[in-house]
């Protein structure tokens, strides 16, 4: 879910997704007990996972400068991996650490995902009007 507060903040010019010069965006992982969704307004460590290969606050995302696909604006991130990892995650939150940890998008994995002494990778979809993780039509 794209967080409702994020939609308002976009109209206020709070978030800058420009690659290399924009804000810093992160992705944090959460347990099945977390209550993430459209109403989430900011990153919190409540129900954040713990485990080998994971640091509280998650990983920094590499932003790809927003563009358009036909009449839809799209934003994408490079895939992110947690290496030498052992943990279980059920959801993730993309948030803007440059702007008081404001929430961008809550992502449900659909079930617990476990990695044991391996690499846990989050693959972002293609940056197009149908699939991009953030798109404005």
């Amino acid at each position: 879910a794209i967080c409702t507060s994020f939609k308002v903040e976009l109209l206020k010019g709070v978030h800058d997704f420009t690659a290399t010069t924009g804000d810093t965006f992160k992705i944090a992982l959460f347990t099945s007990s977390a209550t993430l969704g459209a109403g989430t307004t900011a990153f919190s460590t409540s129900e954040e996972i713990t485990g080998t290969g994971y640091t509280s606050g998650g990983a920094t995302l590499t932003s790809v400068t927003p563009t358009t696909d036909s009449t839809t604006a799209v934003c994408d991130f490079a895939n992110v991996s947690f290496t030498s990892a052992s943990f279980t995650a059920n959801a993730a939150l993309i948030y803007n650490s440059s702007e008081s940890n404001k929430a961008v998008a809550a992502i449900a994995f659909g079930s617990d995902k476990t990695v044991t002494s391996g690499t846990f990778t989050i693959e972002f979809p293609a940056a197009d009007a149908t699939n991009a993780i953030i798109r404005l039509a």
Side-chain angles (χ1 to χ4, degrees):
I2 296 295
C3 298
T4 304
S5 58
F6 170 71
K7 295 173 190 178
V8 173
E9 292 158 3
L10 276 180
L11 296 176
K12 292 180 177 181
V14 172
H15 302 276
D16 182 354
F17 286 89
T18 307
T20 68
T21 61
D23 293 338
T24 299
F25 293 89
K26 293 184 136 192
I27 189 163
L29 303 177
F30 292 85
T31 69
S32 59
S33 297
T35 55
L36 301 174
T40 303
T41 59
F43 165 74
S44 165
T45 58
S46 178
E47 305 303 335
E48 185 180 17
I49 68 156
T50 58
T52 304
Y54 182 82
T55 302
S56 181
T60 300
L61 294 170
T62 301
S63 184
V64 176
T65 298
T67 188
T68 58
D69 181 14
S70 186
T71 60
T72 301
V74 297
C75 181
D76 191 26
F77 299 101
N79 295 343
V80 63
S81 294
F82 299 88
T83 58
S84 301
S86 293
F87 56 74
T88 298
N90 187 277
L93 180 70
I94 297 172
Y95 67 98
N96 186 340
S97 66
S98 297
E99 295 292 337
S100 304
N101 295 334
K102 293 180 184 304
V104 173
I107 303 163
F109 296 158
S111 65
D112 283 348
K113 305 300 179 190
T114 300
V115 60
T116 304
S117 300
T119 301
F120 186 91
T121 301
I122 297 174
E123 294 182 7
F124 287 95
D128 59 42
T130 304
N131 300 298
I133 194 74
I134 299 172
R135 54 191 185 271
L136 300 173

